[in-house]
Amino acid sequence: QVQLVESGGGLVQAGGSLTLSCTASGDAFSTYTMGWFRQSPGKEREFVASITWSAANRYLANSVKGRFTISRDDAKNTLYLQMNSLEAEDTGVYYCAADLYGSGWVPESDYDYWGQGTQVSVSS
């Protein structure tokens, strides 16, 4: 099993930056493909980014390409999401999720473990 805890959310002005972290404990972090998802008010949860267990592949939603970067530090059991040029539409609760040896480009139902989420609010 893996326990996931997100941090780094907050309130930021449009155009600003935030870095989210997701710290994992439990099973070997390096064997899990990791993903970031978000749920905006009144909308369903959506995919934001993922990075495979080997870090060989990274995927980003079209809406965040060129602005967000996903990375991982297996020595620290931590997943990151660097968010730049934030927009009001990026507001939402951000969740990290883990998928054992996942391919990275899979529906959220394939993810095995989820964190509790961290709130990101972007003011326009």
Side-chain angles (χ1 to χ4, degrees):
Q1 282 193 336
V2 174
Q3 293 77 43
L4 304 172
V5 179
E6 303 95 337
S7 62
L11 175 63
V12 64
Q13 288 189 330
S17 298
L18 278 175
T19 299
L20 304 184
S21 299
C22 171
T23 302
S25 60
D27 286 352
F29 178 72
S30 61
T31 64
Y32 285 87
T33 286
M34 300 298 297
W36 285 103
F37 294 79
R38 69 186 180 190
Q39 186 164 21
S40 302
K43 296 184 179 180
E44 293 187 352
R45 189 160 57 188
E46 63 176 356
F47 170 80
V48 175
S50 63
I51 182 168
T52 55
W53 58 274
S54 63
N57 294 300
R58 307 173 196 222
Y59 302 94
L60 293 168
N62 288 334
S63 59
V64 306
K65 282 181 180 177
R67 301 187 299 121
F68 290 12
T69 302
I70 186 171
S71 62
R72 64 189 297 158
D73 186 339
D74 288 352
K76 295 182 178 179
N77 286 356
T78 302
L79 171 74
Y80 302 98
L81 184 68
Q82 173 69 44
M83 306 186 293
N84 299 324
S85 301
L86 283 161
E87 304 169 351
E89 291 74 22
D90 296 317
T91 293
V93 179
Y94 283 69
Y95 301 89
C96 67
D99 178 19
L100 184 63
Y101 289 124
S103 68
W105 191 246
V106 297
E108 65 174 78
S109 58
D110 280 24
Y111 283 81
D112 305 298
Y113 303 102
W114 292 81
Q116 293 300 307
T118 185
Q119 176 71 46
V120 172
S121 299
V122 184
S123 62
S124 57

